[in-house]
Amino acid sequence: MDDLARHADDLSSLPPSCGPVRLVAVDGHAGSGKSTFAARLAAALGGAPVLHLDDLATHEELFGWTGRLREQVLLPLSRGGSARYAPYDWTERRFGPARTLEPAPVVLVEGVGAGRRQVRPWLAALCWMELDRDTSWGRGRRRDGAGLAGFWDGWTLAEARHFAEDPSRPYADALVRQLAEGYAWLPGPRATAGANRTVTHGSQNVPPY
């Protein structure tokens, strides 16, 4: 089992990627354990802020949140300011009161698509939860129950289409595998391929798009 505290120290030593912030993405299939892992990694980082992409997605835009993420979170953080975003209420089907996300040495962003093409230039590191999609989706369906079966039917189609068009795993710095106790932290495809670090590590505050 790999020690999260050691990896937290490694992440904290990376160059800032979004203004003064080291933005670290936790991506993977729905049901793969991203939220739980992000919470534990945040604790190992001394209470790092965590942005959940479920707060930016909506029923109508499961993957159409990139503009909200950029305008409400990434650009303010890149300028050294506080991010301010309105989380979506999945029960009321509307955006709720705004929340503030303060800049910190490390900020985690977790959710399906956190390592997508338009987000990678802002990232210091990308972690991928290494669990196959069918197992992940099965876990998610069991967690949410029969009442959300229809939602899951639509979600799985949307997720499969998203990753077919814009995969994250090939660009992961680390593959994170949940064990009976703790996590195994393995080199990701980008690290093992010796890819140019500028693919993920932006050298400027505002990416050129």
Side-chain angles (χ1 to χ4, degrees), residues 30 54 57-63 88 90 93 140-141 143-159:
D54 283 351
T58 70
H59 284 90
E60 292 74 27
E61 296 179 310
L62 295 176
F63 290 95
Y88 184 69
W90 288 85
R93 301 178 75 100
R141 285 179 180 272
R143 177 194 65 202
D144 292 342
L148 289 178
F151 174 82
W152 269 95
D153 291 343
W155 171 269
T156 54
L157 292 174
E159 183 186 307

Side-chain angles (χ1 to χ4, degrees), residues 70-83:
R70 183 177 189 272
E71 296 302 320
Q72 298 177 17
V73 178
L74 300 179
L75 284 175
L77 292 180
S78 75
R79 295 190 286 259
S82 299

Side-chain angles (χ1 to χ4, degrees), residues 38-49:
R40 293 180 181 175
L41 181 58
L45 286 160

